[in-house]
Amino acid sequence: MTQDEMKKNAAWAALEFIPRNTVVGVGTGSTVNHFIDALASIKHEITGAVSSSVQSTEKLKALGINVLDLNSIDSFSVYVDGADEINAQKHMIKGGGAALTREKIVAAVAERFICIVDQTKQVEVLGKFPLPVEVIPMAAAYVARELTKLGGRPVLRDGVITDNGNVILDVHDLAISKPVELEQQINNIVGVVTNGIFAQRPADMVLVGSATGTQVIR
Ligand code: 5RP
């Protein structure tokens, strides 16, 4: 079974956990694209979606799913998103698709975060996947120097501008033993919009797609 088929298994398994007649939070990425396909099959049973990127918004709309402005909603029950890495504490690295800031905002409003991944995303220690950091463009060199002081090797993601008009530094060589603390520390650097550690608000449930089916980790 291919990695994409395992992503698809996890994504479709999420349908079981989507409450009906309510708004659904939707992440970004190739796993989430499968989830949007799944969501379209129950589109008449949900009120609509809140999206975390231009890419997901376009796909949701193309499939006839109503997309709502996050500012028009006080809260909603479930946010579904993928991850680049996830550990046993359900802390994640996200942002491989450069949508980390909007993802973190939508996740913050949701009551529950359901993470959908294939089994290759499970790790013991976060950091093998270079940590994405969204940065205000004029601060990129300064932030890169500060990230180097923290032991990382930041590399500007070539040609990428986020939906918010910012740049991404991918930080290599970090072994993230204290994700909650490092998330806060990096966010404290002036010029950082947010970083791709999702530990202060971890996932609540993980659906892990594999060749033998989908494992539910509560
Ligand atoms: C985008 C993300 C994605 O969730 C993450 O990159 C995983 O992507 P994929 O499902 O394509 O493997 O954080 O910013």
Side-chain angles (χ1 to χ4, degrees), residues 118-140:
D118 67 86
Q119 61 180 11
T120 67
K121 306 291 186 66
Q122 290 180 296
V123 297
E124 251 177 60
V125 179
L126 300 174
K128 198 166 178 196
F129 189 93
L131 175 67
V133 180
E134 180 164 353
V135 179
I136 305 279
M138 71 169 285

Side-chain angles (χ1 to χ4, degrees), residues 12-195:
W12 278 82
L15 272 194
E16 191 189 321
F17 303 99
I18 303 303
R20 302 310 199 252
N21 301 314
T22 183
V23 174
V24 181
V26 175
T28 300
S30 57
T31 315
V32 166
N33 282 341
H34 288 303
F35 174 68
I36 297 174
D37 290 333
L39 201 58
S41 72
I42 60 157
K43 69 180 172 191
H44 300 301
E45 299 172 46
I46 59 168
T47 316
V50 178
S51 170
S52 61
S53 64
V54 171
Q55 180 193 319
S56 289
T57 298
E58 282 172 0
K59 185 168 170 75
L60 286 160
K61 285 184 175 168
L63 291 175
I65 298 171
N66 185 24
V67 178
L68 297 133
D69 181 344
L70 184 62
N71 285 311
S72 68
I73 299 158
D74 290 336
S75 73
F76 58 93
S77 349
V78 173
Y79 176 65
V80 179
D81 200 356
D84 299 300
E85 285 185 348
I86 185 159
N87 68 13
Q89 289 71 45
K90 304 187 185 72
H91 299 149
M92 297 158 278
I93 285 186
K94 293 183 44 53
L100 60 162
T101 299
R102 293 191 187 193
E103 290 173 343
K104 208 175 265 195
I105 293 168
V106 181
V109 181
E111 283 159 29
R112 302 183 72 217
F113 186 139
I114 299 178
C115 181
I116 48 174
V117 288
D118 67 86
Q119 61 180 11
T120 67
K121 306 291 186 66
Q122 290 180 296
V123 297
E124 251 177 60
V125 179
L126 300 174
K128 198 166 178 196
F129 189 93
L131 175 67
V133 180
E134 180 164 353
V135 179
I136 305 279
M138 71 169 285
Y142 167 72
V143 172
R145 288 193 294 276
E146 293 300 303
L147 291 168
T148 305
K149 286 184 200 163
L150 294 177
R153 185 169 56 83
V155 176
L156 184 69
R157 199 181 296 181
D158 229 8
V160 171
I161 300 291
T162 70
D163 288 349
N164 315 306
N166 299 314
V167 295
I168 299 281
L169 293 172
D170 290 308
V171 190
H172 297 248
D173 302 339
L174 288 173
I176 305 174
S177 54
K178 293 184 175 170
V180 175
E181 288 83 350
L182 190 63
E183 180 178 1
Q184 186 65 58
Q185 204 176 0
I186 295 177
N187 282 347
N188 282 347
I189 301 171
V190 174
V192 168
V193 179
T194 199
N195 72 84

